[in-house]
């Protein structure tokens, strides 16, 4: 308040007598929060902010609720909204709103582009970096109430007493901010930590070990949140090593949690190496048959799309397909396939696109959001997870605009009905400037930025054509890898006829995983939205599209205008210069220069490579790149050298 | 000046007329700097600060000299020395004063404990982090004039035009601070970057490639400093792959440098896996025969000791053994084997110990310092390198006291006659407090800290008994590794009789690599300083030492009093609390807690393990550790888990 108002605000005790013109924080069971389902856990986090006897009252049933209400009030002030007749009421739509950190014990962050991990394991528990509290406060301000602090490719260290003391020290900092700690677990821990000969989830010794270990964790961290599990995926051990299925694994952990207030989130991100298969279908085929077999404390965590955090994916076919199982939506805030920390890509539109997608599971309007918040299938438990883009960089996220992705994830997790535009405006006002024209300009750039990124990298539904070890750069020519489904040609299937992955009935038939209404729209290249076209169809180069252009001309059109749009972003950013801190403005100006350079790099790599199949000219008014495919490949190779 | 004086100091042009009471910066060829060898390059960096007509004049023959003089003046003010009759004159004793960064292109730092690399390769060259200039200024303030920016386990990326542009951007920031950029090179670059079938240094195509590449580098970075090479060491490629020796490799690069003002530093850190050999001798045996064979632009870079940056090593036997070759002394500031960033260990005493060691190469007084500064053998070229302890952490070095190691390296590189105590006082006054009693207390702790670390980890000349993948922790029981000389038992050779590596004539005879005077002192266990005893002798457990204690009792005495000394450090630090910034004080207090915990961990690990050989009791007044060897091993194992 002092920072916002420029003068100190005295803090007085509750019994300081009748005063006016102040702010009252009131934790009260009868918080008068309007609720649709009074039994839901998340109503304990709902707040009300209102005016009473010339005081502003922030009220809620729990400390956390009042904390969230306080941040709502601060947001109201910071975004310069009126305070007269203040009446804010809000309850989170999703119960578990988690950040997932892919942070390793050695301080690196898998897919981290903002320095090293903020957790300093060699210093914990004795030394608490002041940033731990800054981090907790930032999360609380946007409604995040849990953090999984370690990588899903998990070290067993965290399950040892030595490391649990460290984790407990973090939990001690987070507790006052309504944030609970969760751990990713290494499936083979009963062997590596416990000294058992097996990790078979049906073995009584293993079950006992997990129960004892869980009890030990709760003794150390009384408000521990639970477990996140990546098992039998990309080389990680899991219950299938013993002939057990994912539900048997998850249920064993749920049993270990027993009466403790904790949950298991079991990731559905699994796929086996199969050069004749379609990775698109594999999670569905493994998990769909298990619907109804998971214990009540077990949730299945599903990425927004069926492949892996591409710049645009159709919604994951498991959404709507497992009505008996609460599904956690996992989205990625760290921009692994969206330009790392040098490209400005605002992710709220991507997250919204998934949440608003209609699964038709129970007829029209069965959106992914309704699956995730539990309302479609009457689940009492619901969750959403964002893979954190946070690191040790002074500005937390590398790209200053990356903060908007952290922010918007929290806001959407609380209330997914907020528009991407509204959140962009809010964040801009709270972070960069309150000058109205500049706010509009910046929010406009933010909202359009994800579509622009898609255009210059993977238009029309192209996917997974990035560099094998530089996920921010192009490598559509990648044809060999340790696994066929880690190449690019597996996905784009370019040939002399055309481009795209036929997932209709004449192809892999992945489309059949969706409800008939979805199949109908996407199954016909004429009605399939161009954004998803090459996800589902192998389209001839010369086929005319709804835009009136042939596929080849449309691809070129999108790559070239995508690059032009980066220029547009640069121009818009230059316009707001007078309203922005000069150092920050210069930083983002330089990052936009890099983005422009790399957009051209993507464009040239892709049009030159695909041209070797289409054997057509670049359509006017665009001109052939002034370098060869070989020259572009050399640059990509440099970034993949040891 | 504004920060120091609390009021702005106007800057006026040189022709602003006769003024008084100011500071004049004067770049003048006739700088009146007193020099012993007027031809030496480093005299171009010497400065004079004096009073002239009621002005303070900072004078030197070059911009860099005046810059160094300016920092000397600032140091004078900041440490509250009198300015009346000011007369400072100084010339660096060593020409090339370099930091070596072991930073990787992916942002990790090999042996880095202070966050990630400060170089942001994905952002360069467009975006220049403001810290680049802070870093350059800090280096200039202590006289460092060159930085090798990439790991000696080098990526070939840096030799591509794409990365040279990035390196040039850094060089552009550093130039104004008198700092030149150097590159570690990957020996196989002619193959991986150049597309040649070979990297044979005698192949004309390879020689041509390096010459062309070097010319390209100088076109991009006109003041490029030169190359650092780790070749045929720990798996790195090198000239021996083609039957060529190190000199042939170095000379090929020297030839490529041609008329450019650049040098080659060729590292002598080489050792082959040989379970019957003695790693101590290997660098000597490979390099000594090459003395006189190196081109004039080639220097050989030698670590302070024969093994690898242990907490205490005898000076490297190559010092004094290669009179025809300028030797660069390489010391490590990042505390790989000295507690990472959680132990307070001030390294100036370690560096001084090496510099002051007498090689007797040309009779008494032939110190390592005189070898390194070139005076002993009349070399016109001299160098010293510190492996940087700098990372992205806000305080640069993780442990705030780690800054003292960066600082003292620069100061000693400029003038190795400065005492460790003087530098500790200087740094403390400039960084922590000017309160005299607190300064004395802190400097005292700093100066004693390295001996304390040695006592609780590797007393009496024990070495290389750290954890295989946790170099900050103990693992004396390590008996198996990918190489025999990566185990602990290879070095301590504990058995039922005694402890230590017999390197006398009845053992590996590594002692014979030293001059007779050194051999005489170290070869007799009665005259060998206890600090080096187990480096050279296998001593019976029951043998009485000069202290009057048996070896076993002396070992125990040192481990236990070493831990007690950490308690002493804690007490001393608590005493200075009123004089130190509270957040900083709390930070170091917590780190000292960690250090104390880990000191006990080292003590218990080592006395329990060695006790299994000595089969003797812990001597009174010390008591048996209250845990088993197995319990300590378990903790070490935790820190080595995936």
């Amino acid at each position: 308040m002092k920072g916002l108002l420029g003068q100190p605000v005295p803090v007085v005790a509750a019994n300081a007598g009748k005063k006016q013109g102040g702010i009252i924080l009131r934790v009260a069971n009868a918080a008068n929060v309007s609720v649709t389902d009074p039994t839901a856990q998340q109503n304990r986090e709902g707040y009300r902010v209102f005016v009473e006897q010339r005081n502003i009252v922030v009220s809620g049933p729990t400390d956390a609720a009042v904390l969230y209400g306080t941040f709502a009030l601060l947001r109201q002030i910071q975004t310069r909204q009126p305070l007269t007749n203040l009446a804010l009421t809000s309850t989170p739509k999703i119960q578990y709103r988690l950040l997932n950190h892919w942070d390793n014990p050695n301080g690196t962050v898998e897919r981290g582009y903002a320095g090293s991990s903020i957790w300093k394991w060699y210093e914990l528990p004795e030394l608490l970096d002041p940033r731990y509290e800054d981090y907790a406060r930032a999360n609380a301000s946007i409604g995040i109430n849990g953090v999984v602090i370690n990588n899903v490719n998990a070290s067993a260290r965290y399950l040892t007493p030595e490391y649990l003391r460290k984790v407990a020290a973090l939990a001690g900092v987070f507790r006052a901010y309504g944030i609970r700690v969760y751990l990713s677990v290494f499936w083979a821990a009963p062997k590596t930590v416990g000294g058992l000969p097996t990790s078979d989830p049906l073995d009584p010794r293993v079950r006992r070990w997990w129960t004892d270990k869980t009890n030990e964790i709760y003794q150390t961290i009384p408000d521990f949140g639970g477990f996140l599990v990546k098992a039998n995926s990309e080389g990680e051990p899991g219950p299938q090593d013993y002939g057990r299925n994912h539900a048997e694994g998850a249920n064993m952990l749920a049993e270990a949690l027993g009466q403790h207030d904790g949950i298991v989130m079991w990731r559905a991100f699994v796929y086996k190496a199969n050069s004749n298969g379609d990775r698109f279908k594999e999670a569905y085929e493994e998990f769909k048959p298990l619907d109804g077999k998971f214990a009540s404390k077990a949730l299945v965590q599903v990425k927004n799309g069926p492949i892996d955090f591409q710049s645009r994916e159709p919604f994951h076919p498991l959404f709507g397909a497992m009505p008996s199982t609460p599904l956690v939506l996992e989205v990625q805030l760290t921009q692994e396939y969206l330009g790392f920390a040098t490209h400005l890509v605002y992710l709220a539109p991507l997250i919204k696109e998934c949440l608003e997608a209609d699964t038709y599971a129970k007829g029209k309007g069965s959106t992914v959001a309704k699956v995730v918040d539990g309302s479609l299938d009457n689940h009492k438990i619901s969750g959403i997870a964002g893979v954190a883009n946070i690191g040790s960089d002074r500005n937390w996220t590398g790209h200053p605009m990356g903060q908007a992705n952290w922010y918007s994830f929290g806001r959407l997790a609380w209330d997914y009905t907020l528009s991407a535009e509204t959140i962009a405006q809010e964040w801009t006002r709270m972070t960069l400037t309150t000058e109205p024209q500049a706010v509009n300009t910046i929010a406009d750039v933010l909202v359009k930025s994800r579509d622009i990124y898609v255009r210059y990298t993977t238009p029309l539904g192209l996917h997974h054509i990035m560099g094998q070890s530089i996920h921010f750069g192009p490598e559509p020519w990648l044809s060999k890898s340790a696994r066929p489904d880690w190449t690019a040609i597996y996905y784009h299937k370019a040939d002399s006829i055309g481009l795209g992955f036929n997932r209709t009935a004449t192809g892999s038939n992945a489309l059949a995983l969706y409800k008939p209404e979805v199949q109908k729209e996407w199954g016909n290249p004429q009605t399939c939205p161009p954004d998803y076209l090459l996800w589902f169809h192998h389209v001839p180069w010369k086929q005319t599209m709804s835009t009136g252009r042939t596929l080849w001309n449309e691809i070129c059109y999108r790559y070239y205008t995508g690059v032009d749009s980066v220029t547009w972003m640069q121009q818009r950013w230059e316009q707001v210069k007078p309203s922005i801190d000069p150092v920050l403005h210069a930083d983002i100006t330089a990052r936009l220069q890099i983005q422009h350079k790399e957009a051209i790099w993507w464009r040239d790599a892709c049009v030159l490579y695909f041209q070797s199949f289409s054997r057509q000219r670049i359509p006017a008014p665009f001109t052939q790149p002034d370098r060869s495919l070989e020259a572009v490949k050399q640059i990509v190779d440099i970034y993949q050298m040891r």
Side-chain angles (χ1 to χ4, degrees), chain A:
Chain A
M1 290 303 293
K2 186 181 170 188
L4 288 169
L5 303 180
Q7 59 184 71
V9 176
V11 176
V12 296
N15 56 359
K18 289 275 181 195
K19 296 222 176 191
Q20 291 193 331
I23 299 169
I24 296 171
L25 307 183
R26 182 186 296 159
V27 180
N29 284 327
N32 289 329
V33 175
S34 75
V35 291
T36 48
D37 174 5
T39 66
Q41 164 71 21
Q42 61 258 41
N43 288 331
R44 293 179 51 75
E45 301 180 316
Y47 61 81
R48 215 180 133 212
V49 184
F50 56 96
V51 176
E52 182 182 83
Q53 294 174 329
R54 300 200 60 209
N55 286 308
I56 295 174
V57 179
V58 181
S59 167
T62 61
D63 284 357
V66 174
L67 185 68
Y68 295 136
T70 305
F71 279 116
L73 173 60
L74 288 171
R75 188 162 53 236
Q76 190 82 357
I77 298 168
Q78 208 176 352
T79 56
R80 312 219 173 162
Q81 306 300 308
L83 297 180
T84 41
N85 301 321
L86 196 61
L88 306 174
T89 306
S90 191
T91 301
K93 297 204 186 309
I94 298 173
Q95 181 182 352
Y96 293 98
R97 304 176 301 278
L98 309 186
L99 281 186
N100 289 6
H101 284 266
W102 287 0
D103 293 21
N104 299 314
N106 68 357
T108 59
V109 180
E110 187 164 337
R111 315 306 177 190
Y113 314 107
S116 53
S117 173
I118 54 174
W119 318 130
K120 299 183 174 271
W121 296 109
Y122 290 140
E123 299 174 7
L124 286 165
E126 288 85 358
L127 179 55
L128 294 171
D129 189 312
R131 291 192 88 174
Y132 299 151
E133 186 157 3
D134 299 340
Y135 164 87
R137 188 189 307 111
N139 275 335
S141 78
I142 54 175
I144 287 168
N145 63 4
V147 292
V148 185
I149 54 173
N150 63 316
N151 193 350
V152 288
N153 298 319
S155 168
R157 295 185 190 197
Y158 300 99
L159 296 174
T160 65
E162 184 79 8
Y163 270 73
L164 284 175
R165 278 191 291 273
K166 301 172 190 277
V167 176
L170 289 177
V173 175
F174 300 164
R175 192 166 291 123
Y177 293 93
I179 294 167
R180 296 166 73 186
V181 162
Y182 299 69
L183 286 175
S184 296
V185 296
F186 179 57
W187 189 257
K191 295 202 292 184
T192 58
V193 174
L196 296 179
T198 174
S199 303
D200 179 353
L202 298 195
D203 186 295
R205 293 166 298 176
V206 172
R207 300 175 83 84
R208 181 72 209 212
W209 187 86
W210 279 110
T211 298
D212 291 346
K213 180 55 70 180
T214 305
N215 290 336
E216 178 193 341
I217 294 173
Y218 275 92
Q219 281 196 326
T220 314
I221 308 164
D223 57 348
F224 179 67
F227 300 120
L228 175 63
V229 189
K230 175 178 180 177
N232 293 121
S233 169
E234 296 182 331
E236 293 296 310
Q240 292 177 346
D241 303 346
Y242 304 95
R244 317 303 182 187
N245 66 35
H246 292 292
E248 288 168 316
N251 294 349
M252 186 269 288
L253 288 177
E255 180 188 282
L257 283 162
Q259 296 305 308
H260 299 297
D261 178 19
I263 56 172
V264 180
M265 292 159 288
W266 195 273
R267 291 175 88 240
F269 180 67
V270 298
Y271 59 109
K272 296 199 165 55
N274 176 3
S275 56
N276 297 316
D278 181 359
R279 178 173 163 186
F280 193 115
K281 303 194 294 188
E282 300 188 30
Y284 183 99
E285 287 171 351
E286 279 202 51
F287 278 84
K288 165 74 178 165
L290 299 176
D291 188 36
K293 304 225 165 92
F294 284 92
S296 63
K297 287 189 165 221
L299 302 90
V300 171
Q301 182 160 317
V302 184
K303 289 187 179 182
N304 58 293
I307 301 297
D308 186 12
F309 295 137
Q310 297 300 296
S311 63
R312 171 169 272 130
E313 299 202 23
F315 69 90
H316 200 297
L318 279 174
F319 289 112
M322 296 185 73
S324 302
T325 312
L327 299 186
V328 177
L329 170 62
E330 178 180 312
V331 296
Q332 194 186 53
L333 311 178
T334 184
Q335 295 166 232
E336 176 181 358
Y337 303 104
L338 289 109
F340 289 10
T342 45
H343 291 228
L344 192 171
V345 184
Y346 174 56
L347 296 174
L350 184 158
I351 300 170
K352 292 278 292 183
E353 192 171 280
C354 176
L355 286 163
E356 291 174 354
D358 199 338
T359 69
Y360 289 92
K362 293 191 172 175
K364 192 165 167 52
S366 304
T367 59
V368 172
K370 289 184 182 169
V371 174
V372 171
D373 77 3
S375 62
L376 192 70
D377 304 303
N378 289 314
H379 293 301
K380 288 239 167 73
I381 188 170
S382 59
I384 186 167
V387 180
N389 60 345
I390 300 160
S392 65
D393 274 4
R394 193 165 292 201
N395 69 13
W396 298 95
T397 53
H399 201 308
M401 296 296 205
Q403 295 176 9
N405 294 331
W406 181 9
Y407 181 84
S408 62
F409 168 73
R411 297 289 287 140
L412 289 173
W414 184 279
D415 181 3
Y416 55 75
T417 69
L418 292 168
S419 77
E421 171 84 22
T422 298
I423 299 171
Q425 293 248 358
E426 248 180 39
W427 178 81
T428 302
R429 282 161 170 255
M430 294 172 73
T431 312
L432 298 176
T433 179
T434 53
E435 198 284 310
Q437 184 59 46
V439 170
N440 286 336
T441 301
I442 294 167
D444 187 40
V445 167
L446 285 170
V447 167
K448 288 174 177 156
S449 61
R450 185 274 195 129
D451 266 332
I452 292 169
Y453 184 85
V454 171
R455 285 175 91 86
Y456 65 73
T457 60
T458 49
L460 293 173
L462 283 168
H463 53 282
H464 208 291
I465 59 173
M466 69 288 166
Q468 171 146 258
S469 61
I470 45 159
H471 289 178
F472 72 98
E475 201 174 12
W477 48 84
L478 182 67
S479 59
K480 286 208 176 70
S481 183
R483 295 175 51 148
D485 47 8
W486 288 350
T487 68
I489 61 165
Y490 176 98
Y491 296 95
H492 65 64
K493 303 209 187 291
D495 58 23
S496 62
I497 309 299
L499 183 66
F501 198 135
N502 179 1
R503 290 189 168 106
T504 67
T506 61
S508 79
N509 208 18
L511 254 177
L513 309 184
Y514 292 99
K515 290 283 180 287
E517 294 88 338
V518 179
Q519 288 186 43
K520 191 179 168 200
E521 184 186 1
W522 294 352
N524 178 349
Q526 301 305 316
T527 57
C528 181
D531 285 337
Y532 295 141
L533 186 66
L534 304 178
W535 273 99
F536 296 107
H537 302 280
H538 191 70
V539 181
W541 296 113
K542 297 185 174 173
Q543 180 155 319
T544 303
M545 311 210 13
S546 57
T547 59
R549 299 182 193 93
T550 64
L551 173 67
W552 170 250
N553 285 355
E554 184 69 33
I555 283 265
C556 291
Y557 174 77
R558 295 195 178 211
Y559 273 115
Y560 279 80
T561 57
V563 171
D564 292 345
S565 296
V566 179
T567 307
W568 171 83
M569 291 166 75
Q570 293 177 286
Q571 290 163 346
R572 301 295 271 172
W573 182 246
E574 190 57 30
Q575 285 171 10
V576 303
K577 188 172 181 179
S579 307
I580 307 291
D581 170 84
V583 174
L584 186 62
H585 191 273
D587 180 300
I588 293 175
T589 299
R591 287 180 204 268
L592 284 167
Q593 280 172 23
I594 301 167
Q595 186 169 358
H596 187 251
K597 177 184 73 178
E598 294 179 357
I600 296 174
W601 185 21
W602 267 96
R603 178 196 71 189
D604 290 357
C606 294
V607 302
L608 289 169
Y609 172 71
F610 291 130
Q611 192 174 41
S612 71
F613 295 94
S614 79
R615 304 193 168 277
Q616 295 185 51
R617 299 176 53 131
I618 305 293
F622 312 118
T623 55
Q624 183 77 8
D626 55 9
R627 54 182 165 181
S628 67
L629 180 57
E630 209 48 51
V632 184
K633 282 185 181 178
Q634 276 176 18
I635 294 179
V636 174
D637 287 346
I638 286 169
Y639 282 87
Q640 308 202 75
M641 281 180 181
R642 179 186 94 153

